[in-house]
Amino acid sequence: MNRFVYLDNSATTPVKPQVLDAMLPYLKEEYGNPSSIYKKAAASATAVSQARAQVAKALGAEPSEIFFTACGTEADNWAIKGAAFANQKKGMHIISSQIEHHAVLHSLEYLEKQGFSVTYLPVDKEGKVSPEDLQNAITEETILVTIMMANNEIGTIEPIAELARIAKEKNILFHTDAVQAVGSVPVDVKELGVDMLSLSAHKFGGPKGVGALYIKKGTKIDTFMHGGAQERSRRAGTENVAGLAGLGEAISLATGNLSEKATRIEALRNKLIEGVLARIPDSHVNGSLTDRLPGNANFCFRYIEGEALLLRLDAKGVAASSGSACTSGSLDPSHVLLALGLPHEIAHGSLRLSIGEQNTEEDIDYVLEILPGIVQTLRMMSPLYPGN
Ligand code: PLP
């Protein structure tokens, strides 16, 4: 019988048992609406404020600077559109990078249709934005810079503190999409010097459909969801109390033993990368080998399609991804790999294996055992493979 090995922790992570326990009361007996004033609702209101305190503590922020959202995508949309519209009298130019998640790229495309102009900074072959490029792209019209903290496909960690400092010198707002970073690497909003930061619970052992946006006190940003007075009237909608209880517990757990966990995961990741490069000819690691999320391994195998690889891995019980979860299913090559300068035919053949807390040494051994054979079989079928 095949094993099941989950190596798609950048797409989502399993909910931790302690997180589920923290959520259950608010799906059962504690069903009060946190906005209600009677006693039955007090536990729900307390759960929401506790979650806010837990998120704030994990990020080095004040609880009053944390605003809950329905997902990381919403946090990105709010930060970008909210800051753009609130500051458009000062200017209508925004700076971002070519390798952002679609939650950012499509928000920016929308703003371009509304008359904003956007500069998409290139990245080097490891996927890094250059501070000098940012400096040169700033104009009198620039009101916002949005650059991700860690890339979801190749795991490259951007020099956010340095980039934010450049924006701050010119009084320009700085947002970072830290959805892949929170729970994997240290994230402190003060050390980073950012004005806004997005996160999402399901990337670090929390439930899906819950996120948060850090908004530094005093930041000028429009309300995104209009309605009731929740989230200090800045993001209306009855709170997802159980989800927030889960987010609070998950972020406390994920950031509590961060360095110990990262060291273990990184060792597994290095074993995987070294094993693949040693066993599979014409294989290549995408992204930086140093400034990289501990659990991310992203490979290109010449002459084959990522999709075909995923199906064969799935048949052997391995869940993985080609590019991001949002782009798998489409045959377009990854915009991230193209931005690294990889040619189309190579950008099609990528495989992302992302390691999480639940993975073991045996999981890695299993992948190293089956992957070379799968790649070889697909190459034998490929018209591009020399000799075929
Ligand atoms: N930003 C990045 C970098 C991501 O990896 C993701 C999810 O894959 C998102 C944003 C969107 O987060 P959510 O799935 O919570 O909408």
Side-chain angles (χ1 to χ4, degrees), residues 20 28 70 84 88 96 148 171 202 206 231 236 242 299 341 344 349 366:
L20 181 63
K28 291 175 20 185
Q88 60 183 321
S96 187
M148 70 199 324
N171 241 333
H202 74 105
E231 300 299 287
F299 303 98
H344 270 250
Y366 180 62

Side-chain angles (χ1 to χ4, degrees), residues 10-12 70-74 76 100-104 148 150-153 177-180 198-203 208-211 324-326 352:
S10 293
T12 198
C71 50
T73 299
E74 185 190 321
D76 284 343
E100 299 296 313
H101 189 271
H102 285 131
V104 168
M148 70 199 324
N151 184 268
N152 45 302
E153 290 189 37
D177 172 346
V179 168
Q180 290 290 337
S198 309
L199 62 87
S200 178
H202 74 105
K203 305 291 185 181
K208 294 167 189 51
V210 196
S324 71
C326 319
R352 180 185 71 181

